[in-house]
């Protein structure tokens, strides 16, 4: 099973993965799971460390899931660095890397897909309609494959976290879904594998996203009308050098529903997606 040159055991098949998890269970260990698409950064590693605080053994997966990329998106160029990822995961306390290939995840004849609703509506779905159905299907598979006690997802992908929580609840998947706060660089930029695409000039622009959202969140918390708050934030992002804004939106924090009176009257989250050149960045903050 394990690659002799890897600092970490690597399971390539569901059977190998389950054999490991079964052995741990026999020894009475609890298990946590961190799903990733690799190209790991400190944000992922804090998820692994959080998982390590919550269970005796941590499994991380690295699988660049082809179905969640649309034809025009960056599947072909998405950074891949398995040996480096394995070393980083070992350093963060991970006990096993699950790195299946596409044929293991989607064998010939694979036809089943999960249909999502609720928190998947709007925001990302308005711009990436294929995305959450594909994420829900692969995450359901991964959760079933690992059968961990707890799985840790980053709040950086806040809508994804909400979709996965709803998926686990609706399909009675017995793994607890935990969220962990977004890791940021010293300038407030949310860590993301896609930051690798940014030039130094792009980075300066990207680092303003968090500040613009914080300002808009303060206005929203002050009960300012949300359409104006969102419009002003879009204008501020364009002024900061972003090329295109997909959305800036303030939504209910628990289910991502809209505020019917267009003012914040319950816990809220501000979410945004914006482009610098060909790179799309997302971020969000509590209001
Ligand atoms: O957030 C990600 O990296 C992916 O969407 C996930 C959850 C690993 C599913 O492919």
């Amino acid at each position: 099973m394990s690659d002799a040159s890897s600092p970490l055991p690597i399971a390539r098949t569901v059977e190998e993965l389950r054999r490991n998890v079964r052995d741990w269970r026999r020894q009475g260990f609890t298990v946590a799971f961190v799903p990733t698409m690799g190209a790991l950064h400190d944000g992922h590693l804090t998820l692994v460390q959080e998982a390590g605080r919550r269970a005796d053994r941590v499994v991380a997966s690295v699988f660049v899931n082809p179905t969640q990329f649309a034809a025009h998106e960056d599947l072909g160029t998405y950074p891949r660095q398995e040996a480096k990822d394995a070393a980083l995961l070992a350093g963060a306390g991970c006990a096993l890397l699950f790195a299946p290939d596409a044929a293991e995840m989607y064998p010939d004849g694979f036809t089943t897909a999960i249909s999502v609703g609720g928190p998947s509506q709007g925001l990302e779905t308005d711009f990436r309609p294929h995305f959450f159905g594909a994420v829900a299907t692969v995450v359901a598979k991964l959760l079933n494959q690992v059968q961990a006690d707890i799985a840790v997802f980053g709040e950086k992908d806040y809508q994804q976290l909400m979709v996965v929580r709803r998926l686990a609840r609706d399909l009675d998947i017995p793994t607890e879904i935990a969220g962990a706060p977004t890791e940021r660089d010293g300038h407030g930029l949310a860590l993301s594998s896609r930051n690798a695409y940014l030039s130094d000039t792009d980075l300066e622009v990207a680092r303003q996203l968090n500040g613009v959202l914080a300002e808009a969140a303060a206005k929203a918390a002050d009960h300012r009308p949300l359409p104006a708050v969102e419009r002003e934030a879009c204008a501020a992002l364009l002024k900061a050098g972003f090329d295109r804004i997909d959305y800036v939106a303030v939504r209910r924090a628990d289910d991502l529903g809209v505020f019917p009176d267009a003012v914040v009257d319950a816990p809220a989250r501000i979410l945004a997606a914006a482009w610098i050149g060909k790179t799309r960045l997302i971020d969000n903050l509590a209001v």
Side-chain angles (χ1 to χ4, degrees):
M1 174 199 59
S2 68
D3 170 348
S5 64
S6 171
L8 189 65
I10 302 179
R12 302 274 175 204
T13 65
V14 177
E15 196 192 327
E16 288 168 344
L17 165 72
R18 288 208 168 134
R19 201 180 312 132
N20 275 268
V21 174
R22 253 197 322 269
D23 283 352
W24 292 337
R25 295 285 187 204
R26 260 189 228 114
Q27 297 171 68
F29 294 139
T30 54
V31 178
F33 173 49
V34 179
T36 82
M37 296 207 301
L40 302 182
H41 50 64
D42 285 350
H44 295 110
L45 302 181
T46 43
L47 302 184
V48 173
Q49 284 153 1
E50 176 60 18
R53 282 190 285 274
R54 312 274 299 251
D56 302 317
R57 291 288 179 274
V58 179
V59 183
S61 62
V62 170
F63 178 62
V64 183
N65 176 35
T67 63
Q68 70 189 68
F69 291 77
H72 61 277
E73 292 181 344
D74 56 345
L75 174 63
T77 52
Y78 198 84
R80 289 165 172 84
Q81 45 170 57
E82 185 183 277
K84 188 174 169 200
D85 287 345
L88 290 170
L89 288 168
C94 178
L96 179 70
L97 168 57
F98 177 47
D101 64 13
E104 179 70 9
M105 291 299 277
Y106 300 113
D108 275 352
F110 185 93
T111 54
T112 305
I114 288 177
S115 151
V116 288
S120 74
Q121 283 164 359
L123 305 170
E124 286 299 292
T125 298
D126 287 343
F127 298 88
R128 308 180 73 199
H130 63 285
F131 183 66
F132 283 122
V135 166
T137 302
V138 80
V139 168
K141 283 174 66 68
L142 289 163
L143 291 174
N144 276 331
Q145 289 162 345
V146 182
Q147 303 194 358
D149 300 282
I150 184 165
V152 185
F153 291 78
E155 285 182 355
K156 151 110 186 339
D157 298 287
Y158 192 80
Q159 192 177 11
Q160 171 173 276
L161 171 62
M162 297 292 114
V163 169
V164 169
R165 279 214 174 111
R166 185 68 66 90
L167 160 84
R169 189 203 73 175
D170 288 354
L171 298 187
D172 303 308
I173 295 175
T175 302
E176 177 190 342
I177 307 299
T182 304
E183 280 292 305
R184 298 179 182 279
D185 74 3
H187 307 266
L189 175 65
L191 300 189
S192 161
S193 307
R194 289 188 168 103
N195 293 352
Y197 301 148
L198 300 172
S199 69
D200 287 349
T201 330
D202 294 342
L203 265 177
E204 276 180 36
V205 175
R207 285 179 170 144
Q208 304 195 50
L209 176 55
N210 177 55
V212 169
L213 289 187
E215 206 171 301
K219 290 181 192 167
D222 211 21
H223 307 291
R224 295 265 311 275
L226 295 179
V229 170
E230 293 163 359
R231 225 176 19 248
E232 286 163 21
C234 286
L237 289 176
L238 291 172
K239 191 162 170 231
F242 280 86
D243 294 307
R244 185 152 52 96
I245 318 300
D246 279 352
Y247 59 85
V248 175
V250 179
R251 293 292 180 88
R252 286 202 305 251
D254 58 348
D255 62 1
L256 295 180
V258 296
F259 286 98
D261 297 332
V263 284
V264 165
D265 54 15
R269 200 94 191 169
I270 183 161
L271 306 99
W275 292 82
I276 303 173
K278 289 185 175 160
T279 305
R280 185 174 188 271
L281 299 179
I282 60 168
D283 199 357
N284 67 85
L285 290 176
V287 170

